[in-house]
Amino acid sequence: MELVTISDIEAAAKRVQGVAVRTPLLLQTWDPRKTLWLKPENLQPVGAFKVRGAFNAIGTLDDAIRARGIIAHSSGNHAQAVAYAAQRYGVPAVIVVPDGAPRIKVEATRSYGAEVIEVPMSELEAKTHELAVERGLTLVPPFDDAAIIAGQGTVGLEIAEDLPDVEVVLVPVSGGGLASGVGTAIKARCPQARVIGVEPELAGDATEGLRLGHRVDWPVADRARTIADGLRAQPSDLTFAHLRKVVDDMVTVTEDEIRDAVRTLARQARLVAEPSGAVTTAAYLSHAGELPAGRTVAIVSGGNADPAMFAEILA
């Protein structure tokens, strides 16, 4: 299996330049250890890092194939990213979403001009593939794709350029595309740094799989228990191979720790983070004993929080 290289990520960086925001590293002065920098990917045009991978993947397609249209399936952030990238490229997009996806993400996806089709979670991938064949559309997967991984890796490239003496990088893990790309970039540019993946305890399949040395399958119903709706996917063979190579360790966080981190990010860092985007901060705040010491970057992967849930957490 061919893994993504630093050259692939560097090429992706040129492709997404001017579309993806180069988010800053923000030193958190409220942190008593003064060792925490946040990478606020919630400030991207679609509110999450996913725009990087989507734009890179669509950009690598042949012009004729791209013009026929693209299709994707997602619980929300990838959906918005693909819809936004398709709009920028001027091509039609169909997005298949689970019928329980947060409304804010579904409506935002529609606002970029995509056709949105809602189906039960268990039918998500099957319906997507059925429509792709039926309409001649090209699938842009949420993580199981080298171009997606390379695009997400541009987050790590920016971290390495802005804080070359970084010692720890905390990255959320779901399907593993972000961690695969970030880990590849960090290991190439900052080999002294340790890359730590973070998952909710209730969706800790990658943590278990890496401990056992092979992918494990957690039932959808089990993974759906976590409030972090963007972290309910499982790694593919491709992303798991990357994770085994470039992730040094994994940490899992509880639902209460995630909520506490959402509150801290809002009140101390002035950042709106959805639960999935807050897990790395949760790991830093609540699991210091499990993490290496030193200059730490926590990636805030998204900020598309459901308004009612966000208000309830802050109350």
Side-chain angles (χ1 to χ4, degrees):
M1 185 181 301
E2 201 166 316
L3 302 187
V4 168
T5 67
I6 188 63
S7 296
D8 298 325
I9 296 171
E10 289 167 343
K14 293 177 182 176
R15 201 171 283 118
V16 306
Q17 187 175 16
V19 176
V21 173
R22 186 191 175 95
T23 52
L25 287 185
L26 306 174
L27 175 63
Q28 300 306 293
T29 56
W30 53 265
D31 168 35
R33 286 176 273 169
K34 300 292 189 293
T35 57
L36 176 63
W37 282 259
L38 298 176
K39 177 73 167 165
E41 286 294 294
N42 57 317
L43 302 181
Q44 290 295 343
V46 300
F49 73 95
K50 291 281 191 176
V51 68
R52 297 172 181 267
F55 199 84
N56 188 56
I58 295 172
T60 61
L61 297 175
D62 177 81
D63 289 348
I65 291 173
R66 187 166 58 224
R68 286 203 296 269
I70 57 177
I71 189 168
H73 60 81
S74 165
S75 66
N77 285 336
H78 179 65
Q80 291 179 72
V82 171
Y84 177 77
Q87 185 185 65
R88 290 291 298 255
Y89 277 108
V91 299
V94 176
I95 312 294
V96 184
V97 304
D99 52 16
R103 301 319 300 171
I104 187 173
K105 296 181 178 181
V106 174
E107 295 310 317
T109 302
R110 283 200 176 98
S111 76
Y112 295 122
E115 177 186 353
V116 176
I117 297 173
E118 299 184 56
V119 301
M121 181 71 174
S122 59
E123 300 174 19
L124 197 64
E125 293 191 32
K127 185 64 175 179
T128 302
H129 288 287
E130 175 190 321
L131 288 168
V133 172
E134 193 177 283
R135 302 192 190 183
L137 304 172
T138 298
L139 175 66
V140 179
F143 52 84
D144 188 25
D145 181 85
I148 292 285
I149 292 171
Q152 319 305 29
T154 60
V155 175
L157 204 60
E158 292 173 11
I159 292 171
E161 291 170 354
D162 293 346
L163 191 67
D165 57 353
V166 63
E167 293 168 279
V168 184
V169 177
L170 301 175
V171 55
V173 176
S174 181
L178 178 61
S180 296
V182 168
T184 298
I186 293 297
K187 291 302 178 185
R189 293 292 186 85
C190 305
Q192 80 287 351
R194 290 176 62 78
V195 177
I196 310 295
V198 185
E199 284 185 304
E201 279 187 1
L202 297 182
D205 51 281
T207 301
E208 181 183 1
L210 289 170
R211 176 173 54 82
L212 295 174
H214 60 80
R215 285 202 308 132
V216 297
D217 183 33
W218 283 30
V220 171
D222 286 357
R223 290 180 272 126
R225 295 173 299 166
T226 179
I227 192 175
D229 63 275
L231 301 182
R232 293 171 178 166
Q234 297 190 132
S236 64
D237 288 338
L238 178 63
T239 56
F240 193 77
H242 283 83
L243 297 179
R244 290 191 71 179
K245 181 180 179 183
V246 300
V247 171
D248 297 292
D249 204 355
M250 295 287 297
V251 171
T252 60
V253 292
T254 69
E255 299 297 288
D256 284 343
E257 289 166 352
I258 295 170
R259 287 183 170 89
D260 286 344
V262 170
R263 281 191 287 272
T264 298
L265 287 167
R267 294 170 180 168
Q268 302 289 352
R270 285 84 175 175
L271 292 175
V272 174
E274 61 191 281
S276 303
V279 295
T280 54
T281 303
Y284 180 86
L285 295 174
S286 301
H287 294 263
E290 299 172 47
L291 300 174
R295 290 172 292 277
T296 300
V297 172
I299 299 171
V300 181
S301 56
N304 293 313
D306 175 75
M309 178 201 65
F310 190 67
E312 178 266 320
I313 291 175
L314 293 186

